[in-house]
Amino acid sequence: MARIRTSKNVCLFCFGTLDNNRVCLSCHKRADDSPAPPHHLPQRTMLSDRYLIYKSLGEGGFGITYLAWDVSCGLKVAIKEYYPSGYVNRMPRSNQVIINAKQNQAASNRGLKRFIDEAKTLAKIKNLPGIVSVRDFFSANGTAYIVMEYLDGISLKKYLQRKGGKVPCDEILTILRPVMDSLVSVHKLGLIHRDISPDNIIITKNNEVKLIDFGAAKQSNLDGKSLSIVLKQGFAPEEQYRTHGEQGPWTDIYALGVTIYYAVTGALPPESIQRLYKDTIMRPSEKGAVISPTQESALMKSLAVYARHRYQDVTQMITGLYGARRGAAARAAAELAARKAQTQQQARTAQTTRATQAAAKPTAEKSAPAQKPATQTAAAQKSATPTTKTTIAQKPAPSIAANKPIAPQAPAARPVRQTPPPAAPAPEPNDLTLTRERKLTLLERLFGKRRK
């Protein structure tokens, strides 16, 4: 007899099943039941009845990233939880996140809104080879979560450390090419990343290169309006230090330039805010970097202190670094990706419209009953009587709850569609019904009214 699978006996290494000795029957590894830090989600926590928490992958000032399993399809995912350090605490023996002081409420709520904006930003730029994909986002435990594809690999910073601190220019350009091509499409949507650095570029075991962490992403302010000051020292251009600095694709171009400079020289250039007064930057060749004169000229143009002296879009930067032929290919690839994204959006819109019309059609037919002819026979009336049809299709994969058993994934029958019960009769005119409106919370305003 097969053992019933629950959140307690699922192997977090391979999603197999643990035996009575806590050893996996598939990968033969012993379960790691070590406790998590008090402010982290405990191991084997279920989120949204779908995601089984394994362990923390890392944490920063505003969030904790976990490795988890999507039990609906048996895939590893990365889940980012909004947890601003110093502003919130986690309740003992509970997953609830609470603000630790009244004076921190406004700042924490602003950060939560920016966190949800990150999820919405990533949702707009799916299916780009050089950008991490978001799979889901939701609210729970008094905070919010972003579910992203799990990238099994290392950061560009760690890669450079393994290479001795620096690499030839051709090598780093080969690594960054998917990111740069994808940024062309991102910028066409009016979005800028504002936090490009070797820490936020991941090289996977499948030799894929992905740009992550869009927490600082914003709409470009071509109208000159101010943006919040969000930057990483050493990689940020001077306009990011000013609340009214005009930011755009050229902002990401400077950060890309610093990333390349760091990769080929092993050191950061002087901070842009210091270069405003005295520019002491050295050319990469002066620091012994392996770089051609053409590549060096393009790189120094990308690192210009003032935005007007830099490339104005990534396509121009690609042309300068890789050559005109490759720049033309990048433009063609970006246009193809944009057309593909537009076609997919139109298809989704048409599908939604058809579904809405299909749902509205039975209601319209019910509200306008057809007139029967006077000569209709009793047999015809009987044949016209509606009958309930039973439809059978594949049942979605079962979820794992903390205290509910689950079965291995297998196709099963869908529930029978039943005619909805008749609506309750309207109250009499003389009845007086008093209702009390509840003020919506920030999470309910951002995600919509909470389901009952």
Side-chain angles (χ1 to χ4, degrees):
M1 179 178 177
R3 189 179 182 189
I4 298 176
R5 285 162 57 87
T6 69
S7 63
K8 301 299 182 184
N9 64 4
V10 169
C11 176
L12 297 178
F13 293 107
C14 70
F15 202 61
T17 303
L18 301 175
D19 62 14
N20 294 330
N21 296 321
R22 309 291 291 166
V23 176
C24 179
L25 298 174
S26 299
C27 67
H28 307 294
K29 293 182 179 180
R30 182 173 293 277
D32 179 12
D33 296 325
S34 56
H39 63 291
H40 287 186
L41 286 172
Q43 191 181 85
R44 299 185 181 276
T45 297
M46 268 318 259
L47 291 177
S48 191
D49 293 329
R50 178 175 177 179
Y51 304 107
L52 183 64
I53 297 296
Y54 175 18
K55 63 180 180 180
S56 169
L57 293 173
E59 60 180 302
F62 295 95
I64 305 172
T65 303
Y66 302 93
L67 175 61
W69 283 97
D70 182 349
V71 301
S72 65
C73 54
L75 290 177
K76 284 184 178 180
V77 293
I79 300 182
K80 189 174 180 181
E81 177 187 47
Y82 176 66
Y83 191 94
S85 178
Y87 290 82
V88 298
N89 293 323
R90 198 180 300 278
M91 292 285 287
R93 298 181 299 277
S94 171
N95 298 331
Q96 288 295 316
V97 175
I98 59 171
I99 300 174
N100 56 21
K102 186 176 181 180
Q103 60 268 24
N104 293 334
Q105 184 170 2
S108 180
N109 287 341
R110 285 196 301 269
L112 176 62
K113 184 179 183 302
R114 187 166 63 243
F115 183 85
I116 296 172
D117 288 342
E118 176 187 356
K120 294 178 179 179
T121 298
L122 285 170
K124 295 179 181 178
I125 51 178
K126 287 183 178 179
N127 303 320
L128 291 178
I131 305 293
V132 64
S133 297
V134 64
R135 299 170 61 92
D136 190 12
F137 61 94
F138 56 91
S139 64
N141 302 327
T143 185
Y145 299 87
I146 302 175
V147 183
M148 299 170 288
E149 63 174 324
Y150 171 62
L151 301 177
D152 189 5
I154 60 174
S155 67
L156 176 59
K157 182 177 182 179
K158 186 171 292 186
Y159 174 85
L160 293 173
Q161 290 173 351
R162 293 182 179 181
K163 289 285 188 175
K166 56 184 179 180
V167 295
C169 187
D170 287 339
E171 182 174 345
I172 188 61
L173 290 181
T174 301
I175 293 173
L176 292 180
R177 186 57 189 267
V179 173
M180 297 175 74
D181 288 340
S182 298
L183 277 175
V184 174
S185 300
V186 171
H187 290 162
K188 285 187 176 181
L189 294 174
L191 298 171
I192 50 178
H193 188 279
R194 302 202 301 169
D195 195 17
I196 297 175
S197 70
D199 291 310
N200 290 333
I201 297 173
I202 302 297
I203 303 174
T204 71
K205 292 183 178 180
N206 297 327
N207 293 324
E208 295 179 324
V209 183
K210 300 272 188 176
L211 179 63
I212 64 171
D213 200 355
F214 275 73
K218 282 285 186 180
Q219 297 282 343
S220 57
N221 62 334
L222 300 180
D223 56 357
K225 295 182 180 179
S226 64
L227 288 175
S228 59
I229 298 178
V230 179
L231 54 86
K232 181 169 292 184
Q233 289 186 346
F235 293 87
E238 61 85 18
E239 63 265 21
Q240 274 188 266
Y241 287 85
R242 297 183 286 116
T243 56
H244 292 274
E246 187 176 353
Q247 300 179 31
W250 47 88
T251 304
D252 285 345
I253 287 173
Y254 185 90
L256 278 172
V258 176
T259 300
I260 298 172
Y261 188 97
Y262 176 79
V264 299
T265 65
L268 289 173
E271 287 193 38
S272 59
I273 198 70
Q274 296 177 353
R275 296 175 59 199
L276 283 171
Y277 303 99
K278 186 177 181 181
D279 193 0
T280 59
I281 188 173
M282 295 178 62
R283 299 177 74 87
S285 58
E286 296 173 346
K287 299 174 74 70
V290 181
I291 185 171
S292 70
T294 303
Q295 293 170 337
E296 187 173 56
S297 297
L299 178 58
M300 297 308 294
K301 183 177 178 65
S302 304
L303 290 171
V305 177
Y306 295 100
R308 63 180 180 273
H309 296 153
R310 296 179 221 136
Y311 293 113
Q312 296 301 293
D313 60 67
V314 180
T315 302
Q316 295 175 357
M317 184 181 183
I318 292 173
T319 302
L321 289 170
Y322 297 87
R325 183 176 300 177
R326 293 187 178 183
R331 285 193 296 271
E335 292 174 358
L336 179 62
R339 288 197 298 269
K340 183 178 179 180
Q342 184 178 5
T343 303
Q344 291 176 346
Q345 181 62 32
Q346 291 174 351
R348 286 193 295 267
T349 303
Q351 184 178 4
T352 304
T353 303
R354 288 195 298 269
T356 304
Q357 293 175 349
K361 186 175 181 180
T363 305
E365 293 177 352
K366 184 176 180 181
S367 61
Q371 296 182 356
K372 298 179 180 180
T375 59
Q376 186 178 24
T377 63
Q381 292 177 356
K382 183 177 180 180
S383 62
T385 302
T387 59
T388 302
K389 295 183 179 180
T390 302
T391 59
I392 299 178
Q394 188 177 4
K395 181 181 178 181
S399 62
I400 303 178
N403 55 357
K404 295 181 181 179
I406 67 158
Q409 302 176 15
R414 282 186 182 172
V416 178
R417 295 182 182 174
Q418 298 180 354
T419 305
E428 296 294 333
N430 293 331
D431 291 346
L432 180 61
T433 304
L434 296 178
T435 60
R436 183 176 180 180
E437 295 184 356
R438 180 173 64 83
K439 187 176 181 180
L440 297 178
T441 65
L442 176 66
L443 286 173
E444 290 173 339
R445 292 199 302 271
L446 292 171
F447 283 93
K449 193 171 182 181
R450 185 180 300 172
R451 294 193 299 263
K452 295 183 180 179

